[in-house]
């Protein structure tokens, strides 16, 4: 009789523990979705929600990993958050973010494309400057001496490529005023501690950017915005916060 009762108690304890775990998972999922929504509206608020609810550990390393791997995040807001120069947490997360991006054995242009695919470049020159600075540092760590031993050389070249990208693919710049190959090479003279980089390297970068734009990563918010712009006549605002939350939730279900 006693053994039978013990078996029943164990059975009920197992059932209750299973229910508790299911409830915990559901709550964690709700906190994740709400945290993503908050992040896409105001990154610092989203990060605070995610860390205080236990979705993400409150360390720069774990926050950076979440920004790189989390589903449903706005790439624009990722770029804004990790380049907020006024906030020590953002700078610490940026440092960890770069440590988790591997450029080993990647050619320069491919490495820059890979980096920019992880976020959306902010519109402020100071923030872009910071991103190119940390990109150059990380590229040199992963590929010592591949192009130059000077980190400043990689930084200047990266910034030069961003300018080239804008110049070649901005429809507002007329064709006859776009930067040609010789101008690009001229702009990069002496950037390697007074020496020139190999011409074939610069030619390859120029032709690569001319053929295929270096495009920041795209996310579901870009999809919403493109649909919103394509609708003619009276239309609903697809960028309303509740619609963005719904789309984010649905996207997370799809990628599971």
């Amino acid at each position: 009789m006693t053994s039978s009762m013990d078996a029943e108690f164990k059975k009920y304890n197992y059932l209750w523990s299973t229910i508790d775990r299911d409830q915990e998972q559901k709550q964690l999922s709700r906190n994740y979705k709400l945290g993503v929504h908050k992040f896409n509206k105001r990154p610092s608020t989203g990060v605070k929600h995610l860390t205080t609810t236990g979705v993400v550990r409150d360390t720069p390393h774990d926050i950076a990993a979440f920004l790189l791997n989390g589903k449903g995040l706005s790439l624009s807001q990722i770029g804004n958050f990790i380049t907020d120069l006024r906030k020590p947490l953002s700078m610490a997360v940026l440092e960890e973010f770069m440590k988790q991006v591997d450029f080993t054995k990647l050619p320069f242009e491919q490495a820059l494309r890979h980096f920019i695919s992880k976020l959306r470049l902010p519109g402020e020159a100071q923030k872009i400057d910071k991103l190119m600075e940390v990109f150059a540092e990380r590229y040199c760590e992963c590929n010592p001496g591949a192009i130059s031993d000077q980190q400043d050389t990689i930084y200047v070249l990266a910034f030069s490529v961003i300018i080239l990208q804008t110049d070649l693919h901005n429809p507002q710049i007329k064709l006859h005023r776009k930067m040609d190959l010789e101008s690009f090479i001229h702009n990069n003279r002496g950037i390697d501690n007074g020496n020139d980089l190999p011409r074939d390297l610069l030619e390859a970068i120029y032709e690569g950017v001319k053929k295929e734009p270096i495009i920041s990563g795209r996310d579901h918010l870009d999809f919403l915005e493109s649909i919103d712009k394509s609708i003619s006549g009276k239309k609903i605002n697809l960028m309303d916060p509740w619609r963005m939350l719904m789309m984010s939730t649905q996207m997370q279900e799809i990628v599971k």
Side-chain angles (χ1 to χ4, degrees):
M1 183 70 176
T2 303
S3 60
S4 176
M5 290 179 63
D6 287 343
E8 286 297 312
F9 278 127
K10 288 181 180 179
K11 176 181 176 182
Y12 284 120
N13 284 336
Y14 172 77
L15 289 173
W16 279 115
S17 64
T18 301
I19 291 172
D20 288 342
R21 286 197 298 270
D22 288 343
Q23 291 299 324
E24 288 175 3
Q25 286 299 317
K26 288 179 181 178
Q27 186 60 47
L28 192 66
S29 178
R30 285 194 289 267
N31 284 328
Y32 178 95
K33 292 170 183 177
L34 183 57
V36 167
H37 173 66
K38 288 177 178 289
F39 180 89
N40 290 345
K41 296 296 292 180
R42 190 173 182 180
S44 58
T45 302
V47 168
K48 184 176 181 179
H49 174 85
L50 290 162
T51 54
T52 55
T53 57
V55 176
V56 179
R57 289 178 59 198
D58 192 8
T59 69
H61 174 86
D62 287 87
I63 295 171
F66 175 75
L67 297 183
L68 281 166
N69 302 299
K71 302 296 189 296
L73 296 173
S74 163
L75 296 179
S76 292
Q77 295 293 34
I78 291 175
N80 288 330
F81 180 74
I82 63 176
T83 56
D84 192 338
L85 306 178
R86 302 165 300 172
K87 295 183 178 179
L89 175 61
S90 291
M91 294 297 94
V93 171
L94 174 59
E95 182 179 350
E96 292 296 327
F97 187 95
M98 296 308 301
K99 288 179 181 177
Q100 296 176 45
V101 180
D102 188 12
F103 301 131
T104 304
K105 296 183 179 180
L106 288 181
F108 174 84
E109 181 194 339
Q110 187 177 343
L112 186 58
R113 290 181 186 276
H114 178 60
F115 173 50
I116 293 178
S117 72
K118 302 296 182 182
L119 45 80
R120 179 74 55 80
L121 288 178
E124 300 175 36
Q126 188 177 16
K127 292 186 175 184
I128 296 176
D129 182 84
K130 182 62 178 179
L131 289 174
M132 295 304 102
E133 177 187 324
V134 295
F135 166 77
E137 180 180 3
R138 182 59 175 155
Y139 185 83
C140 289
E141 287 176 357
C142 293
N143 303 282
I147 293 178
S148 170
D149 293 325
Q150 303 293 321
Q151 182 179 317
D152 285 348
T153 301
I154 306 302
Y155 160 74
V156 173
L157 181 59
F159 213 109
S160 177
V161 170
I162 296 301
I163 294 172
L164 173 66
Q165 151 71 26
T166 303
D167 191 279
L168 289 180
H169 299 287
N170 187 341
Q172 295 182 350
I173 299 178
K174 294 182 179 180
L175 186 61
H176 70 278
R177 301 195 63 179
K178 292 185 181 295
M179 190 184 306
D180 59 20
L181 173 61
E182 294 306 320
S183 297
F184 178 67
I185 292 175
H186 176 80
N187 291 343
N188 287 283
R189 281 182 181 168
I191 68 171
D192 189 22
N193 200 26
N195 298 313
D196 293 343
L197 293 175
R199 182 183 177 91
D200 58 348
L201 169 67
L202 297 178
E203 286 181 353
I205 292 173
Y206 180 90
E207 294 300 332
V209 175
K210 182 179 179 180
K211 181 179 180 181
E212 183 180 352
I214 297 177
I215 301 174
S216 295
R218 294 179 63 82
D219 52 42
H220 65 286
L221 300 181
D222 296 311
F223 176 67
L224 277 178
E225 188 173 359
S226 64
I227 293 177
D228 190 52
K229 289 179 179 179
S230 69
I231 299 175
S232 58
K234 186 177 180 179
K235 57 185 179 181
I236 57 176
N237 183 8
L238 296 176
M239 301 303 287
D240 280 338
W242 72 272
R243 294 185 187 278
M244 292 165 62
L245 175 58
M246 183 182 297
M247 174 62 80
S248 175
T249 300
Q250 291 172 345
M251 288 295 293
Q252 290 166 35
E253 294 299 324
I254 291 171
V255 297
K256 282 183 179 178

